[in-house]
Amino acid sequence: VSTQSTGKYEKIDRKAEGSAGKQFAHFVKVGYNRARQVTGEKLGTAQRTEYDREFQDLCNRVDKHAFWANMLTSKVELVLQPNPAYRFEDFVTEKLGNEREIRHTYTEQLGICMLNAGSDMSSSDYGQALLIMGDYENRIGESEHKMIKQAFVKFVKPFMDAASKEGAINNERRTLTALRLDLDAAKNRVRAAKTADEMKELENFVDEAQKKFDEQYEICREVLEERDQANAEMVVHLEDLCQVQVDYFKAATELCQEMCSKVLNRPTKGKAPARKRKDSSSDEE
């Protein structure tokens, strides 16, 4: 029984090995034909199938949008978070699927510093001015923090989500390129055929390659048209970014004007003895 079982397993293993060997040989052959086709195209010795103008324009629009969307997102993030270490930390946090850490803005840090300094010198007019400014700088920083959060949610995040889908689109386009190379390689082999029987056999490969190429071509067209339409609709996020900045600068301007008024009209102003500045010209005399 054990001998029969062993023989059975050997037959299965040999069959599997033979199948794997054929697959590997086919893979090597396809890769060789594609590489040969690419080389021929670069040297101008091989003909290639050209995409229609409409499809090529569609590809160019999608590529341009992807490039500039990436550039715009990085620049907006630079404005929102100038610290490169924090930006990298936020990037890793996003990749891990966690929420970004809430940090004090630089304006909030300035406000906190002024409040601490003012508390330490609260008995002086200088200290009272610091307390007023620190309170308002802190409030401006809070408004800035709100702007940063809204800008990320309404602009950066949608563009990052769109960029995450580019991988699937690029995979479809790479598949189309590979099938296009297979098709052109098959056509060039037909042209090089020496006999009618050989040409007829190779034409069957061309028909099969053409069918696969046409199917993938339509899949790519549908995917790219969908992406192109989604890209056009991204303009709403630019509008959102405009409104976020308007709200922030309006609130910051109002707070700055109120801060200036409070500092200039503080109750302790003029109560501290003013020091006389030395006149350098009189000292020289």
Side-chain angles (χ1 to χ4, degrees):
V1 176
S2 60
T3 305
Q4 292 177 351
S5 300
T6 304
K8 183 179 179 181
Y9 290 140
E10 285 179 357
K11 288 180 180 179
I12 293 173
D13 290 340
R14 287 173 184 172
K15 187 177 180 180
E17 287 176 2
S19 177
K22 289 180 180 178
Q23 289 179 357
F24 179 74
H26 175 72
F27 175 77
V28 171
K29 184 178 180 181
V30 170
Y32 171 76
N33 288 335
R34 289 174 180 174
R36 185 179 180 183
Q37 177 65 25
V38 170
T39 304
E41 290 175 2
K42 289 183 177 179
L43 296 175
T45 58
Q47 296 183 12
R48 59 169 293 168
T49 300
E50 298 292 343
Y51 301 141
D52 64 68
R53 182 63 179 273
E54 183 182 351
F55 184 83
Q56 192 60 53
D57 289 343
L58 182 61
C59 290
N60 291 338
R61 285 199 305 272
V62 171
D63 289 341
K64 284 181 181 179
H65 187 279
F67 172 78
W68 287 113
N70 182 59
M71 292 292 290
L72 288 168
T73 303
S74 64
K75 296 305 179 185
V76 170
E77 285 198 286
L78 178 61
V79 172
L80 300 180
Q81 179 50 264
N83 190 315
Y86 286 157
R87 287 202 308 276
F88 179 74
E89 184 179 328
D90 291 340
F91 172 78
V92 174
T93 301
E94 285 289 325
K95 288 295 182 182
L96 295 175
N98 300 323
E99 292 186 3
R100 295 189 173 195
E101 181 184 350
I102 298 175
R103 307 183 185 90
H104 287 302
T105 65
Y106 290 117
T107 310
E108 284 177 310
Q109 293 178 31
L110 172 62
I112 292 171
C113 181
M114 285 182 165
L115 287 172
N116 291 335
S119 297
D120 196 34
M121 297 179 284
S122 58
S123 60
S124 66
D125 177 55
Y126 179 68
Q128 290 300 313
L130 280 172
L131 287 173
I132 295 171
M133 286 193 68
D135 177 52
Y136 278 93
E137 292 289 354
N138 201 29
R139 289 160 65 180
I140 293 169
E142 290 174 357
S143 180
E144 183 183 1
H145 182 75
K146 181 180 177 182
M147 181 270 291
I148 291 172
K149 184 177 180 180
Q150 288 184 340
F152 177 78
V153 171
K154 295 183 177 182
F155 182 84
V156 177
K157 189 72 165 61
F159 274 79
M160 290 175 63
D161 292 341
S164 66
K165 299 175 183 177
E166 294 293 334
I169 298 173
N170 291 333
N171 286 337
E172 296 294 348
R173 292 175 67 176
R174 280 192 290 269
T175 301
L176 178 64
T177 300
L179 292 176
R180 198 269 304 164
L181 290 171
D182 293 342
L183 174 61
D184 289 336
K187 287 180 178 179
N188 287 321
R189 288 200 302 274
V190 170
R191 296 187 187 97
K194 297 179 180 179
T195 65
D197 290 339
E198 183 184 1
M199 181 178 293
K200 185 176 181 180
E201 183 182 353
L202 291 172
E203 283 176 348
N204 292 329
F205 287 106
V206 172
D207 293 339
E208 184 180 349
Q210 185 71 59
K211 182 180 178 182
K212 290 181 179 179
F213 172 78
D214 291 341
E215 290 174 354
Q216 186 62 27
Y217 193 78
E218 289 306 313
I219 290 173
C220 271
R221 185 190 295 277
E222 291 176 6
V223 170
L224 288 168
E225 286 177 347
E226 183 180 348
R227 180 72 263 168
D228 190 41
Q229 180 61 35
N231 288 343
E233 295 170 357
M234 295 293 280
V235 70
V236 298
H237 300 299
L238 287 174
E239 296 171 355
D240 290 339
L241 182 62
C242 287
Q243 191 58 51
V244 166
Q245 291 186 88
V246 167
D247 294 342
Y248 163 65
F249 285 112
K250 181 180 179 182
T253 300
E254 291 174 354
L255 287 169
C256 284
Q257 290 173 342
E258 190 175 338
M259 174 180 67
C260 185
S261 176
K262 289 288 182 69
V263 169
L264 294 178
N265 298 291
R266 63 189 181 279
T268 57
K269 184 177 182 180
K271 291 186 179 180
R275 290 187 177 182
K276 260 191 174 182
R277 292 188 179 181
K278 291 183 178 180
D279 192 344
S280 58
S281 59
S282 61
D283 288 345
E284 290 177 359
E285 291 173 2

